[in-house]
Amino acid sequence: MADLGVGQDTANTIYTESQSALAVARNLVFHARTNHIEVHYHYVVESLSAGEISLAYVPTECNLADHFTKALSCEKLEAFRKALGLLPFVD
């Protein structure tokens, strides 16, 4: 953000429903299963260590991004629609 001329006092929070991704990013110990992780992972770990970002878990049922990425039941779609403040579709 500083490169864009926008000051910021707190870290950006990245919300994810992947507990595995949180565990890998927070645990800096090398594991055999993580030796083929791509370069952008290392950037996330460096940013986390520098305090530029923070990671937070959001349960699947509370994740509003699911509205855009997964097939949903009518009830769940209606709940997400209300949470986003969208008006119902009317014929």
Side-chain angles (χ1 to χ4, degrees):
M1 295 301 290
D3 292 342
L4 298 173
V6 179
Q8 188 170 334
D9 295 336
T10 60
N12 289 321
T13 302
I14 298 173
Y15 297 95
T16 182
E17 61 187 31
S18 173
Q19 292 185 6
S20 298
L22 289 171
V24 170
R26 289 181 175 152
N27 187 1
L28 301 179
V29 178
F30 177 80
H31 295 285
R33 292 183 180 176
T34 62
N35 63 348
H36 295 292
I37 293 178
E38 296 182 22
V39 173
H40 63 268
Y41 159 78
H42 300 287
Y43 177 77
V44 170
V45 171
E46 289 171 8
S47 298
L48 184 63
S49 298
E52 296 171 354
I53 64 169
S54 64
L55 302 176
Y57 173 72
V58 59
T60 301
E61 55 273 359
C62 299
N63 189 352
L64 292 179
D66 283 351
H67 176 77
F68 303 106
T69 61
K70 297 180 182 175
L72 303 172
S73 67
C74 289
E75 296 81 20
K76 197 162 192 174
L77 181 63
E78 183 68 16
F80 282 136
R81 183 195 61 79
K82 287 180 182 176
L84 292 172
L86 300 175
L87 298 174
F89 180 77
V90 179
D91 291 334

